[in-house]
Amino acid sequence: MLRVTHCDRRASVFIMEEMEPVDGWSQASYRVRLSERTCDCDLFQSLHYPCRHALVACAAASIEWGHFVDPVYMMASVFKVYEREFPPIPDEKICPPWYGARLKPNPAMRRKALDRLVSTRIRNEMNAIELAEKRCVLYRREGHTRRGCPNAPHSDP
């Protein structure tokens, strides 16, 4: 939540204030200079696209924010990278042998093939139904499931 406290449209200078503190940001107010493409948070000038403070300044001045995105992020620039044909990898026999460090996999990090994977799901109060006791499908009784039902008809071989 940001609030514009000072707006100089002629000089394209905006000062805005944080309404709620954001984690990792200790500063309470930020100065954005759209003509110079700078902001006190340093993200605007380092990343070469508008930070959230610059976006608020653009909205306050009714300016299209796309004009402040560096051309390197445009799709035409990305496609230019892939215009040229990449040469194929030469035969590996021509390459000189490698005498540097060899990477070895850590066997302790290997996943067991036979065991079931451990769930990484974070459970909360919505999972109360899943944690409830299972019921038998055949007789609707708690304490066992269809597989372990003592009353289920068994076929003798």
Side-chain angles (χ1 to χ4, degrees), residues 71-133:
V72 76
Y73 293 112
M74 302 297 176
M75 291 301 287
S77 298
V78 174
F79 288 140
K80 257 187 198 173
V81 171
Y82 296 102
E83 263 180 7
R84 298 189 59 212
E85 187 175 324
F86 291 96
I89 298 173
D91 188 14
E92 289 184 21
K93 296 174 186 173
I94 300 172
C95 298
W98 174 255
Y99 296 109
R102 298 266 180 206
L103 297 177
K104 294 172 103 178
N106 184 356
M109 297 291 290
R110 187 172 184 181
R111 186 170 61 183
K112 296 177 184 176
L114 301 176
D115 293 343
R116 295 182 100 182
L117 296 176
V118 177
S119 175
T120 57
R121 187 169 138 196
I122 299 171
R123 299 190 180 270
N124 57 18
E125 64 274 355
M126 292 176 60
N127 302 107
I129 296 170
E130 292 178 13
L131 298 175
E133 181 113 14

Side-chain angles (χ1 to χ4, degrees), residues 59-70:
S62 301
I63 299 172
E64 173 92 24
W65 61 268
H67 301 295
F68 298 102
V69 177
D70 198 82

Side-chain angles (χ1 to χ4, degrees), residues 4-16 30-36 38 40 57 60-61 63:
V4 177
T5 57
H6 177 76
C7 176
D8 184 0
R9 293 174 195 240
R10 200 173 284 175
S12 295
V13 176
F14 300 86
I15 298 174
M16 55 203 60
Y30 297 89
R31 182 182 307 238
V32 177
R33 295 176 189 89
L34 290 177
S35 58
E36 299 172 18
T38 60
D40 288 346
I63 299 172

Side-chain angles (χ1 to χ4, degrees), residues 125-150:
E125 64 274 355
M126 292 176 60
N127 302 107
I129 296 170
E130 292 178 13
L131 298 175
E133 181 113 14
K134 304 291 183 188
R135 292 178 175 257
C136 177
V137 176
L138 300 173
Y139 294 96
R140 306 263 188 247
R141 292 195 181 144
E142 291 183 4
H144 64 271
T145 58
R146 181 179 184 171
R147 178 183 285 175
C149 183

